[in-house]
Short mmCIF file of all heavy atoms in Angstrom, two decimals:
data_model
loop_
_atom_site.label_atom_id
_atom_site.label_comp_id
_atom_site.label_asym_id
_atom_site.label_seq_id
_atom_site.Cartn_x
_atom_site.Cartn_y
_atom_site.Cartn_z
N ASP A 60 -9.22 -26.68 138.63
CA ASP A 60 -8.32 -27.24 137.62
C ASP A 60 -9.10 -27.71 136.38
O ASP A 60 -8.63 -27.55 135.25
CB ASP A 60 -7.53 -28.42 138.21
CG ASP A 60 -6.40 -27.93 139.10
OD1 ASP A 60 -6.05 -26.73 139.03
OD2 ASP A 60 -5.87 -28.75 139.88
N MET A 61 -10.28 -28.27 136.61
CA MET A 61 -11.08 -28.72 135.46
C MET A 61 -11.58 -27.53 134.64
O MET A 61 -11.79 -27.66 133.43
CB MET A 61 -12.26 -29.57 135.94
CG MET A 61 -11.84 -30.98 136.39
SD MET A 61 -13.26 -31.94 137.02
CE MET A 61 -14.24 -32.16 135.51
N LEU A 62 -11.78 -26.38 135.28
CA LEU A 62 -12.16 -25.19 134.51
C LEU A 62 -11.00 -24.77 133.60
O LEU A 62 -11.20 -24.43 132.44
CB LEU A 62 -12.54 -24.04 135.45
CG LEU A 62 -13.77 -24.26 136.34
CD1 LEU A 62 -13.97 -23.04 137.25
CD2 LEU A 62 -15.03 -24.50 135.51
N TYR A 63 -9.79 -24.81 134.17
CA TYR A 63 -8.62 -24.49 133.33
C TYR A 63 -8.51 -25.48 132.15
O TYR A 63 -8.22 -25.07 131.02
CB TYR A 63 -7.33 -24.55 134.18
CG TYR A 63 -7.08 -23.32 135.01
CD1 TYR A 63 -7.12 -23.36 136.40
CD2 TYR A 63 -6.78 -22.09 134.40
CE1 TYR A 63 -6.88 -22.23 137.18
CE2 TYR A 63 -6.54 -20.96 135.17
CZ TYR A 63 -6.59 -21.03 136.56
OH TYR A 63 -6.36 -19.91 137.30
N ASP A 64 -8.79 -26.75 132.42
CA ASP A 64 -8.73 -27.75 131.35
C ASP A 64 -9.73 -27.42 130.23
O ASP A 64 -9.43 -27.61 129.05
CB ASP A 64 -9.04 -29.14 131.90
CG ASP A 64 -7.93 -29.66 132.80
OD1 ASP A 64 -6.83 -29.08 132.76
OD2 ASP A 64 -8.17 -30.64 133.53
N ARG A 65 -10.90 -26.97 130.64
CA ARG A 65 -11.91 -26.64 129.63
C ARG A 65 -11.41 -25.52 128.72
O ARG A 65 -11.64 -25.54 127.50
CB ARG A 65 -13.23 -26.20 130.28
CG ARG A 65 -14.03 -27.32 130.90
CD ARG A 65 -15.42 -26.85 131.31
NE ARG A 65 -16.18 -26.36 130.17
CZ ARG A 65 -16.82 -27.13 129.31
NH1 ARG A 65 -16.81 -28.44 129.45
NH2 ARG A 65 -17.49 -26.59 128.31
N ILE A 66 -10.80 -24.52 129.31
CA ILE A 66 -10.32 -23.39 128.52
C ILE A 66 -9.21 -23.84 127.57
O ILE A 66 -9.21 -23.47 126.38
CB ILE A 66 -9.82 -22.26 129.44
CG1 ILE A 66 -10.97 -21.73 130.31
CG2 ILE A 66 -9.20 -21.11 128.63
CD1 ILE A 66 -12.17 -21.22 129.53
N THR A 67 -8.32 -24.65 128.07
CA THR A 67 -7.26 -25.18 127.21
C THR A 67 -7.86 -25.94 126.02
O THR A 67 -7.45 -25.74 124.86
CB THR A 67 -6.35 -26.12 128.02
OG1 THR A 67 -5.85 -25.40 129.14
CG2 THR A 67 -5.19 -26.63 127.17
N ALA A 68 -8.85 -26.76 126.32
CA ALA A 68 -9.50 -27.52 125.24
C ALA A 68 -10.18 -26.60 124.24
O ALA A 68 -10.11 -26.81 123.02
CB ALA A 68 -10.51 -28.51 125.83
N MET A 69 -10.83 -25.55 124.76
CA MET A 69 -11.49 -24.59 123.86
C MET A 69 -10.48 -23.88 122.97
O MET A 69 -10.73 -23.66 121.78
CB MET A 69 -12.25 -23.54 124.67
CG MET A 69 -13.58 -24.02 125.19
SD MET A 69 -14.34 -22.67 126.13
CE MET A 69 -14.32 -21.37 124.89
N ARG A 70 -9.38 -23.50 123.53
CA ARG A 70 -8.35 -22.80 122.74
C ARG A 70 -7.81 -23.72 121.65
O ARG A 70 -7.58 -23.28 120.51
CB ARG A 70 -7.20 -22.35 123.64
CG ARG A 70 -7.55 -21.22 124.61
CD ARG A 70 -7.97 -19.96 123.88
NE ARG A 70 -8.01 -18.82 124.80
CZ ARG A 70 -8.68 -17.70 124.56
NH1 ARG A 70 -9.39 -17.56 123.44
NH2 ARG A 70 -8.67 -16.70 125.41
N GLU A 71 -7.62 -24.98 122.00
CA GLU A 71 -7.12 -25.94 121.00
C GLU A 71 -8.15 -26.17 119.90
O GLU A 71 -7.81 -26.25 118.72
CB GLU A 71 -6.73 -27.26 121.67
CG GLU A 71 -5.38 -27.15 122.37
CD GLU A 71 -5.11 -28.30 123.32
OE1 GLU A 71 -5.94 -29.22 123.42
OE2 GLU A 71 -4.06 -28.25 124.00
N ALA A 72 -9.41 -26.26 120.30
CA ALA A 72 -10.46 -26.48 119.30
C ALA A 72 -10.75 -25.21 118.52
O ALA A 72 -11.39 -25.25 117.46
CB ALA A 72 -11.74 -26.95 119.99
#
Side-chain angles (χ1 to χ4, degrees):
Chain A
D60 283 345
M61 286 177 67
L62 296 178
Y63 280 114
D64 290 345
R65 286 190 60 80
I66 298 303
T67 304
M69 280 180 55
R70 290 298 193 200
E71 282 166 2

